[in-house]
C-alpha cells in the first residue's frame, strides 16, 4: 500500500496547489517582515498524538512558508498552565469551582514539566528544520503589561462582543482566583464575579472564594491579581495583543476541532472594531478521530467513556511510550507531515487513529521529504 492516503477533493483543496497557500492572501496583504506560527496546548497531562501532530505541522508549515515566501519564520508555543486541575461543587451554594494547574502545582514545577515533556520534541523539530521556537507559559503571558492593557481595552467594548464570546448567557467568564496564599480557587462560571473597569488603567474585581468567602482584587497593567479568562475570551485577548505587534504576521495554528469556535472569536474581534483584513491568519490542522468520527479523546478513554479505537496504539495517548528515541519520533512526524502537506487534499481533512498509525509506521520517500520540507 502506498504511504500516501486516498483523500477526496474539497472546495478549499481544489483552490490550492499547496496547502500553505491558504496563508497567501494574508502574507501578500500584510507584507510582514516575519511570520510566527502560534500553537497552544493545555498543560494538563502527557502529550498525545493530536498535540504532537499539530506541533510538528507547525514547524513543517513554517519551513514551507519560509521557502515559498522568503520570510524568516518561528514557532511560538503557548503552554496553557491555567487548565483546570480540580473542579468541585460547593455544597452550600451549588456553584462550581476550579483550581488551575498553575495554582495547584505551581508555575515552577509546571515549567520543569514543559521542559521534560515538550521541549525535547521542539528541539528535535527545530534542529531538523532550522526553525527557531520559543515557549511562553500562560501565567507569564497574563502578567505582561501588553496583555493586561489589551484586556483592559477589550473589556471596555465587552458589551459589543459578549454574545459572540458566550452565546448561551451573554456573560464571558472572567476568573480572578482567590489571591490568598496557597488558595487559587475561582468560580468556574464566574456567577458572582463582578468586574468594574471604568477606564483602561485598572479594573476592580469582587468575587467569592470556595474557602474564604468574598474578596476583592485589582487588575492593573503592571501587576495585580491573576487574570484567567474563559477559552474564547482568552483567545480574543491573545489575538488582539498579537495583532498590534509590528512587522510580524502571527498565524494561529489549531486542530480541526477549533474551526467552529474560531468563527465566534472572529465575530467577537469584528464586534469590537477589527476589520476582516485585520483578523488573525489561521491554519487548521487535520484532526485525529475515532471510527465514530469523534475526536480521539485521551480524557474520555481515561474516564472509561470511550475505548482505544481499532488501529490505535497506547503511545498515541502518551507519546512517551513511542518505542524509539525523541529524534526518531520527530523524524517520523516530519515524514508524515511531508505526506500530509504534499497535497491540499491530504491536509484539509481528518485522519482516523488507525490511518495515522499507518502513516507513522511508513516513512515517506526521502525525495518527497526533501522537496516538501527543507531547511535553508
Amino acid at each position: 500500500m502506498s504511504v500516501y492516503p486516498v483523500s477526496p477533493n474539497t472546495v478549499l483543496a481544489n483552490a490550492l496547489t499547496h496547502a500553505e497557500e491558504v496563508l497567501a492572501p494574508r502574507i501578500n496583504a500584510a507584507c510582514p517582515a516575519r511570520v510566527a506560527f502560534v500553537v497552544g496546548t493545555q498543560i494538563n497531562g502527557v502529550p498525545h498524538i493530536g498535540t504532537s501532530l499539530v506541533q510538528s505541522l507547525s514547524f513543517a508549515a513554517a519551513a514551507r512558508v519560509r521557502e515559498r515566501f522568503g520570510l524568516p519564520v518561528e514557532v511560538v508555543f503557548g503552554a496553557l498552565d491555567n487548565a483546570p486541575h480540580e473542579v468541585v461543587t460547593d455544597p452550600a451554594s451549588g456553584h462550581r469551582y476550579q483550581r488551575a494547574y498553575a495554582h495547584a502545582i505551581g508555575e515552577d514545577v509546571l515549567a520543569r514539566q514543559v521542559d521534560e515533556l515538550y521541549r525535547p520534541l521542539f528541539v528535535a523539530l527545530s534542529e531538523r528544520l532550522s526553525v527557531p521556537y520559543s515557549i511562553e507559559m500562560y501565567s507569564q503571558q497574563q502578567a505582561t503589561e501588553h496583555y493586561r492593557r489589551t484586556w483592559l481595552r477589550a473589556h471596555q467594548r465587552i458589551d459589543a462582543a459578549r454574545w459572540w464570546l458566550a452565546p448561551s448567557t451573554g456573560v464571558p467568564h472572567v476568573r480572578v482566583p482567590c489571591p490568598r496564599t496557597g488558595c487559587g480557587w475561582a468560580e468556574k462560571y464566574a456567577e458572582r464575579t463582578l468586574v468594574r473597569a471604568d477606564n483602561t488603567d485598572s479594573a476592580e474585581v469582587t468575587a467569592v472564594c470556595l474557602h474564604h468567602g468574598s474578596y476583592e482584587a485589582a487588575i492593573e497593567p503592571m501587576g495585580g491579581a491573576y487574570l484567567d479568562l474563559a477559552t474564547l475570551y482568552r483567545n480574543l485577548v491573545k489575538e488582539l495583543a498579537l495583532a498590534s505587534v509590528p512587522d510580524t504576521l502571527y498565524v494561529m495554528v489549531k486542530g480541526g476541532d477549533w474551526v467552529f469556535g474560531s468563527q465566534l472569536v472572529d465575530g467577537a474581534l469584528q464586534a469590537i472594531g477589527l476589520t476582516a483584513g485585520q483578523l488573525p491568519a489561521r491554519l487548521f490542522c487535520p484532526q485525529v478521530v475515532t471510527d465514530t468520527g469523534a475526536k480521539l479523546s485521551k480524557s474520555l478513554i481515561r474516564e472509561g467513556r470511550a475505548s482505544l479505537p481499532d488501529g490505535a496504539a497506547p503511545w498515541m495517548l502518551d507519546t512517551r511510550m513511542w518505542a524509539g528515541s525523541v529524534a526518531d519520533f520527530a523524524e517520523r512526524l516530519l515524514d508524515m507531515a511531508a505526506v500530509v502537506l504534499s497535497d491540499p487534499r491530504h491536509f484539509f481533512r481528518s485522519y482516523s487513529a488507525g490511518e495515522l498509525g499507518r502513516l507513522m509506521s511508513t516513512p515517506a520517500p526521502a525525495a518527497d521529504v526533501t522537496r516538501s520540507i527543507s531547511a535553508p
Side-chain angles (χ1 to χ4, degrees):
M1 180 179 291
S2 169
V3 65
Y4 294 98
V6 177
S7 301
N9 200 6
T10 64
V11 172
L12 178 57
N14 195 47
L16 306 172
T17 303
H18 304 287
E20 68 273 12
E21 291 167 350
V22 74
L23 301 174
R26 298 305 308 275
I27 293 174
N28 288 319
C31 297
R34 64 190 60 82
V35 181
F37 289 74
V38 182
V39 55
T41 298
Q42 284 195 335
I43 307 302
N44 57 356
V46 298
H48 57 86
I49 184 57
T51 300
S52 298
L53 175 64
V54 174
Q55 291 169 350
S56 60
L57 285 171
S58 298
F59 279 91
R64 289 171 69 98
V65 165
R66 178 184 58 203
E67 181 178 359
R68 172 69 185 273
F69 297 97
L71 292 169
V73 296
E74 64 175 317
V75 171
V76 180
F77 176 59
L80 301 176
D81 57 350
N82 62 325
H85 179 267
E86 307 164 81
V87 179
V88 301
T89 300
D90 177 15
S93 66
H95 290 209
R96 300 279 279 171
Y97 279 84
Q98 71 177 49
R99 197 175 186 220
Y101 273 80
H103 298 103
I105 296 178
E107 295 176 27
D108 292 342
V109 173
L110 285 171
R112 290 196 294 271
Q113 289 186 7
V114 169
D115 284 343
E116 177 184 346
L117 297 175
Y118 293 92
R119 193 181 292 274
L121 178 60
F122 282 6
V123 169
L125 294 170
S126 176
E127 291 180 349
R128 168 67 171 76
L129 298 178
S130 298
V131 173
Y133 76 93
S134 61
I135 296 177
E136 183 177 48
M137 310 291 285
Y138 174 77
S139 292
Q140 298 170 336
Q141 184 185 59
Q142 65 83 33
T144 63
E145 179 183 1
H146 184 50
Y147 187 91
R148 287 171 172 251
R149 286 195 183 279
T150 302
W151 174 74
L152 286 165
R153 289 194 299 270
H155 201 73
Q156 295 291 301
R157 302 292 309 279
I158 196 62
D159 282 346
R162 63 192 186 95
W163 288 105
W164 288 101
L165 298 175
S168 296
T169 64
V171 182
H173 303 147
V174 178
R175 289 184 289 262
V176 178
C178 178
R180 291 175 175 83
T181 302
C183 188
W185 285 95
E187 277 190 321
K188 182 172 181 61
Y189 302 114
E191 298 98 330
R192 295 174 292 182
T193 298
L194 176 64
V195 180
R196 299 186 303 275
D198 297 329
N199 54 60
T200 58
D201 293 324
S202 66
E204 298 296 326
V205 180
T206 58
V208 181
C209 176
L210 175 65
H211 299 297
H212 301 107
S214 298
Y215 61 92
E216 296 182 355
I219 305 293
E220 299 172 341
M222 302 301 292
Y226 191 100
L227 177 62
D228 189 13
L229 306 170
T231 302
L232 297 181
Y233 199 0
R234 182 184 68 239
N235 275 262
L236 172 92
V237 175
K238 177 186 73 174
E239 293 173 4
L240 274 175
L242 294 177
S244 64
V245 177
D247 300 326
T248 301
L249 175 66
Y250 287 91
V251 178
M252 305 299 130
V253 186
K254 296 180 179 295
D257 55 318
W258 256 97
V259 169
F260 311 108
S262 292
Q263 295 179 40
L264 294 174
V265 176
D266 286 347
L269 288 167
Q270 291 183 87
I272 64 174
L274 267 65
T275 66
Q278 294 173 317
L279 295 178
R282 302 192 188 281
L283 186 66
F284 297 105
C285 295
Q287 190 173 349
V288 186
V289 300
T290 68
D291 50 4
T292 70
K295 173 183 172 181
L296 180 66
S297 171
K298 178 176 61 177
S299 300
L300 290 181
I301 295 174
R302 184 176 59 239
E303 295 166 4
R305 299 165 60 192
S307 58
L308 193 66
D310 292 342
W315 68 262
M316 292 184 176
L317 302 182
D318 181 352
T319 59
R320 298 175 303 176
M321 298 176 66
W322 175 263
S325 64
V326 172
D328 173 63
F329 184 52
E331 198 66 30
R332 290 301 180 91
L333 284 169
L334 290 178
D335 283 355
M336 180 175 61
V339 171
V340 170
L341 285 164
S342 66
D343 190 311
R345 298 185 187 197
H346 302 334
F347 189 83
F348 298 106
R349 54 160 290 184
S350 297
Y351 287 88
S352 69
E355 178 69 355
L356 202 70
R358 185 186 74 82
L359 292 175
M360 285 289 289
S361 64
T362 311
D368 291 340
V369 174
T370 302
R371 183 174 65 251
S372 299
I373 306 172
S374 61

